[in-house]
Amino acid sequence: MTAATTTLTTADRSSTAVGRVARSATEIAQPPLVLSLLLILASLLSNQWMMSIWSGIIAALFICLVPFVAVLILAKRGKLTDHHVGDKKQRRPVMLWTLGSSLFGCAILSVIGAPQPVWGLIGGILCGIVALILVSPIWKISGHAMTLGGATVSAVMMFGWLGLPFVVAAPLVCWSRVYLRDHSAPQVIAGFITGVVAFGASYTLIVG
């Protein structure tokens, strides 16, 4: 199958009703957006949530949103294939930039005193970033699946049954990545398992 045929087939899939559902799931559940929401929710677990919410906002800004905006700009200028960074060779520089921005945010959070749930979540995010830096140039492991795996286990550990929306969303998003042929099933499964292990271990070790 030629590259042109593959591209056409993917475009055809996206244009169907099922394809539109898959594309919507992929776009709505972009890792920076999901993790930003989760970081802010984690900050609300503090007894002084009106003060600690700023730690969630700062974490979301430097760990998720600033790198995401940079990716959007670079994609628009043609420096990246797309805002999902579909070319695996482009992923390491993007993730290294994300790691640098995240560590800068962590320095600010250490000064203002972010609550433990936020740090527990950040630990998992940093592990995920490192995993993508190491693996992505060799194999296109799914960042979406990694994020949803991590978000699922973290949400359940933080909020109990209130974390069920993430549990429901996870299989839909993972399916969308395979349906749209952005990833293979093994890449999605590996990403999901990595997210569950990294985020689950981090939250358990930091928060207990």
Side-chain angles (χ1 to χ4, degrees):
M1 181 178 290
T2 65
T5 303
T6 302
T7 302
L8 180 61
T9 302
T10 302
D12 288 344
R13 284 187 162 218
S14 297
S15 66
T16 65
V18 175
R20 287 192 291 272
V21 171
R23 179 57 62 189
S24 296
T26 282
E27 295 300 332
I28 292 172
Q30 292 187 62
L33 304 182
V34 172
L35 293 176
S36 292
L37 173 62
L38 206 56
L39 284 164
I40 293 173
L41 290 176
S43 70
L44 300 179
L45 293 175
S46 169
N47 292 330
Q48 297 179 323
W49 66 268
M50 291 190 68
M51 294 178 61
S52 66
I53 192 173
W54 288 105
S55 65
I57 293 172
I58 291 170
L61 181 64
F62 286 99
I63 297 174
C64 305
L65 301 180
V66 168
F68 184 49
V69 170
V71 166
L72 290 176
I73 294 173
L74 291 173
K76 186 175 182 179
R77 293 180 178 178
K79 303 295 184 181
L80 297 174
T81 53
D82 58 88
H83 62 286
H84 295 302
V85 195
D87 185 349
K88 66 182 181 181
K89 295 179 181 178
Q90 297 177 344
R91 289 190 160 198
R92 177 173 285 175
V94 169
M95 297 316 299
L96 284 171
W97 152 248
T98 301
L99 180 60
S101 180
S102 298
L103 293 177
F104 182 77
C106 287
I108 297 175
L109 293 171
S110 66
V111 172
I112 67 174
Q116 279 192 318
V118 173
W119 284 116
L121 190 55
I122 289 174
I125 295 173
L126 293 179
C127 288
I129 291 173
V130 172
L132 288 171
I133 290 172
L134 296 175
V135 177
S136 287
I138 305 168
W139 194 52
K140 193 181 169 187
I141 190 170
S142 174
H144 275 76
M146 189 180 298
T147 297
L148 266 295
T152 297
V153 69
S154 298
V156 171
M157 293 177 75
M158 288 190 292
F159 306 110
W161 65 270
L162 291 176
L164 285 179
F166 289 94
V167 178
V168 174
L172 175 62
V173 175
C174 290
W175 160 79
S176 75
R177 304 306 287 152
V178 178
Y179 181 84
L180 295 171
R181 297 186 175 176
D182 290 321
H183 291 282
S184 65
Q187 290 168 345
V188 168
I189 293 170
F192 187 85
I193 293 174
T194 300
V196 170
V197 172
F199 281 67
S202 171
Y203 198 86
T204 300
L205 289 172
I206 294 174
V207 182

